[in-house]
Each structure stands twice: as C-alpha cells, then as structure tokens.
Amino acid sequence: MANSFPLDNTVENFAVFGNPVKHSRSPSIHNLFAKQFAIQLHYDAIDVQPEQFEKTVKAFAVAGGKGLNITVPHKELAFKLCDILTPLAKTCHSVNTIWFDDELNIYGDTTDGEGLVRDLQNNHEIKLVNKRILILGAGGTVPPVLLSLLQQKPESITIVNRTLAKAEVLVERYKGYGTLMACGYDQLEQQYFEIIINATSASLQGDVPPLSADIVRHSECCYDLMYSKEATPFLKWADNNGSSLCIDGLGMLVEQAACGFNIWHGKMPETSSVISAIKANNSL
Ligand code: NDP
C-alpha cells in the first residue's frame, strides 16, 4: 500500500483528494503559500473513487504524507473516517482538511465556512452583522458555511432549496446557533436580503436557481461559491438583473486553503497576491 504513492521523502508531502480533481487549483495555491515562507513541499492532486477513499487516505499516511485537502464528493466520508474531529467539523459533519500524528491517527477540520467569511469580510469589506442573508442550496457545503456566517451575528439566515425537506433538516439541526428559516423558491416573494449566497451546484450544469429578478435588485451582494474563468451562470444572471456586486468563489477557495495551510504549518499565508496570481493565470 505504501508504495502506491510516489512521495518525495526529501520534503513534506500533501495532496488534495477528489473525484474529479484534475483541474484543482489547490496544488498551485499551496505552492504559492509555501514560497512565502521558503517551505519546501510537494503537493499533488489525486483522483480517488469513493470506494477507495478510506484505503487511499490510510496509504497516504503510511507512506509518510503529512496532510490532505478533501474535496467533492468525499467531505462526508472524510468526516466519518477521522479519529479526532475539531468541534466545528463534528457539528458540520464535514471535513476538508486532514492531518496525522505519529501513531497515524487521522485528524479532521473544516475550513470552508471560515474561507467564505474571510473572503467576504477581508477581501470585499462586506459586513455581516445584522444582515439578512439568503443561502441557495442545502448540500454538504452549507453546514460549515452556515455556522461560520452565524458566528458573525447576522440578523437572520434563510435557506432556500429545491428539495425543501433538506433545508428544513438543516434549520432543525442548527436553529440553536442563530435565527434560521427554511423555504421553497416559491415562498420568496416580497422577501428581501442584503446578501445572497449561491451554494447550489446549479452553475455546474449551466443552470440558475429560480429566483425573481426583484430579489437581486434589492440585494447588496450576490456570491456564487462556484468559480470559473468566465462569470458563472448565476453571477451573469445576477449582473444582468441589476445586482450591485457579484463575487465568485475563487477567493473562498484561496482563503479556505490558507486556513488549512495554517493548520499544517502553523503559519497564516498572505492571500490577496495568491488570489491575483490564480486569477491572472488560469493555467497555474
Ligand atoms: P451538493 O451536491 O452537496 O449540493 C448541491 C445543492 O445544489 C443541493 O442543495 C441541490 O438541491 C442544489 N441544486 C443542484 N442543482 C440545482 C438546480 N439546477 N437548481 C437549484 N438547485 C440545485 O454540493 P456542495 O454543497 O458540495 O457544493 C455546492 C457548490 O459549492 C458547488 O458548486 C461547489 O463547487 C461549491 N463549493 C465551492 C467551494 C469554494 O471553495 N469556492 C468550496 C466548496 C464547495 P437538491 O437538494 O434539491 O438536490
């Protein structure tokens, strides 16, 4: 098993596990962070099928690997696999950052929510306190995003989802953390939100969730967790309908990576130059 990884044993080894993972920007991001501290490391993007996930994580640890980022579709599997979870990862049922100790115990945390909040607040100067926030979608990324947003004391968060029951489950589970509501897209009439966050995967299929143009016009910011070279379908639609500020999830990606880098190396990298470099060179 240990030989299944061509690890470079002269440096510390890290990787992102996903499926698919070929176009991941995580290797470029972590290499740019490492340069800031003159840290020598090797960072791979490794495609792992769900049924191979547990075996592959353990093999990576046995081979001497130091840490893993976990992306779609493995975050819940990672949560189930970890021996020791941070309180946040335990509450969210989601892990995107893994590390090991000398006994090969597996540790897990989630930095997705902190990544989003850092991007909104630090990179875009958006204040969240007392804001009315609308989250579109109720998938695996929503719990960490929800909890990190609630820590900033917004007035309320409404979760709207195509499958209403999934939004209701989240509200039931996390209602003790702040003012939370669930609804269907047809129940949004006459409701207005300062911040609208698209946490659906609709943009991946070229779709836009069924929102009214009116809701966008009254917002301060539309944010799509997804990112791409072109504006995402949701952000194109929001812009066409009068949104005053449209932001994609590239900054969140870099910020969540920075939090993971800090867990592994005990050093918080500077992110704005990395966001600019990744934006400027899509092939990085
Ligand atoms: P999941 O697959 O767990 O959930 C997908 C959600 O999207 C569900 O709520 C689903 O609704 C909804 N959905 C899918 N298609 C449509 C559609 N056509 N119209 C309306 N709703 C739709 O995804 P994740 O939570 O893991 O990820 C969500 C997004 O966040 C992805 O685009 C992912 O790339 C992005 N992401 C970005 C990160 C970053 O760092 N920038 C980090 C993590 C995620 P239903 O329940 O009804 O099926």
Side-chain angles (χ1 to χ4, degrees):
M1 241 187 349
N3 293 334
S4 53
F5 289 98
L7 297 190
D8 175 353
N9 288 323
T10 63
V11 293
E12 293 194 331
N13 287 266
F14 301 86
V16 55
F17 282 7
N19 176 237
V21 80
K22 202 167 70 185
H23 298 295
S24 171
R25 278 137 163 135
S26 293
S28 303
I29 292 170
H30 279 272
N31 282 316
L32 289 169
F33 289 162
K35 264 194 198 158
Q36 294 179 16
F37 302 102
I39 292 173
Q40 302 291 318
L41 57 79
H42 182 80
Y43 191 111
D44 258 332
I46 300 176
D47 203 308
V48 181
Q49 296 291 329
E51 52 281 11
Q52 298 295 320
F53 181 75
E54 178 172 349
K55 198 173 107 184
T56 316
V57 170
K58 289 182 174 168
F60 185 82
V62 168
K66 293 291 171 196
L68 292 170
N69 285 132
I70 307 299
T71 188
V72 178
H74 301 314
K75 290 179 189 176
E76 198 179 343
L77 285 176
F79 160 76
K80 288 181 179 152
L81 178 62
C82 285
D83 302 301
I84 297 125
L85 291 162
T86 61
L88 181 64
K90 201 179 273 183
T91 310
C92 297
H93 295 207
S94 179
V95 161
N96 76 344
T97 307
I98 276 178
W99 65 102
F100 312 99
D101 64 16
D102 293 343
E103 280 79 47
L104 302 185
N105 287 306
I106 306 171
Y107 292 72
D109 196 3
T110 174
T111 63
D112 281 331
E114 195 180 344
L116 171 66
V117 167
R118 284 172 58 89
D119 191 37
L120 284 167
Q121 291 188 331
N122 302 353
N123 300 331
H124 299 283
E125 291 169 14
I126 292 170
K127 301 216 177 350
L128 298 166
V129 66
N130 293 333
K131 295 288 170 70
R132 285 165 54 86
I133 300 176
L134 177 66
I135 296 181
L136 320 177
T141 305
V142 170
V145 157
L146 193 59
L147 286 168
S148 294
L149 288 169
L150 285 170
Q151 281 171 357
Q152 305 307 314
K153 307 278 178 232
E155 182 184 311
S156 64
I157 299 184
T158 299
I159 306 172
V160 58
N161 196 42
R162 198 171 54 174
T163 312
L164 176 58
K166 282 163 74 177
E168 288 172 339
V169 166
L170 292 181
V171 169
E172 193 51 36
R173 193 190 293 163
Y174 298 116
K175 64 184 180 196
Y177 293 85
T179 306
L180 278 183
M181 283 155 282
C183 69
Y185 285 98
D186 56 353
Q187 296 168 293
L188 284 172
E189 221 172 294
Q190 303 298 327
Q191 294 202 55
Y192 298 107
F193 302 90
E194 278 109 349
I195 297 165
I196 300 176
I197 297 172
N198 182 20
T200 73
S201 51
S203 284
L204 284 174
Q205 308 127 36
D207 283 345
V208 176
L211 285 181
S212 76
D214 211 30
I215 210 167
V216 167
R217 262 195 298 279
H218 287 83
S219 72
E220 177 185 320
C221 157
C222 287
Y223 193 105
D224 197 341
L225 262 51
M226 216 191 104
Y227 49 86
S228 56
K229 281 185 203 173
E230 307 290 322
T232 67
F234 172 67
L235 293 183
K236 258 187 214 158
W237 175 85
D239 191 37
N240 287 340
N241 284 291
S243 169
S244 41
L245 179 61
C246 292
I247 307 169
D248 75 15
L250 183 65
M252 171 181 173
L253 178 78
V254 173
E255 295 295 344
Q256 64 75 31
C259 298
F261 188 94
N262 190 31
I263 290 171
W264 294 334
H265 304 281
K267 296 173 197 304
M268 195 67 191
E270 183 278 319
T271 50
S272 60
S273 65
V274 175
I275 295 169
S276 304
I278 299 288
K279 265 190 197 150
N281 185 354
N282 275 307
S283 64
L284 263 177

